[in-house]
Amino acid sequence: MLPFTERVVRIIKHIPPGTVMTYGQIARLAGSPRGARQVVRILHSMSEKHQLPWHRVVNSKGEIALKDPEAFHAQYTFLTDEGIIIGLNNRIDLKLYQFIPDEF
């Protein structure tokens, strides 16, 4: 596994229940400020293998970015089950729920 990928996996594994991080935030912390799309690919290909809490990753607007209705509903349900309130336009208030780690 490449160092960036390893860092992304480690960061995602440490997102606490009831909080979210954005794709871009994870990419920056992992050392690639423009690597948000790489984070998407890592989540898509490695979530099951590494048992990643994929549902805790949202876009920069605090929205669930999944287009597939079934996947969208699954993420919505997982987040609300953790106590996250999803508001108008299916947005999560990042000021309330965004996890800001001290370091990685």
Side-chain angles (χ1 to χ4, degrees), residues 7-21:
R7 289 190 298 270
V8 167
V9 167
R10 187 173 65 243
I11 291 165
I12 294 170
K13 280 186 174 186
H14 285 90
I15 304 171
T19 65
V20 296
M21 291 181 77

Side-chain angles (χ1 to χ4, degrees), residues 60-80:
S60 62
K61 297 175 186 174
E63 299 169 336
I64 295 172
L66 300 173
K67 302 298 181 208
D68 174 67
E70 198 170 307
F72 178 95
H73 180 70
Q75 186 172 12
Y76 187 100
T77 301
F78 289 144
L79 291 172
T80 57

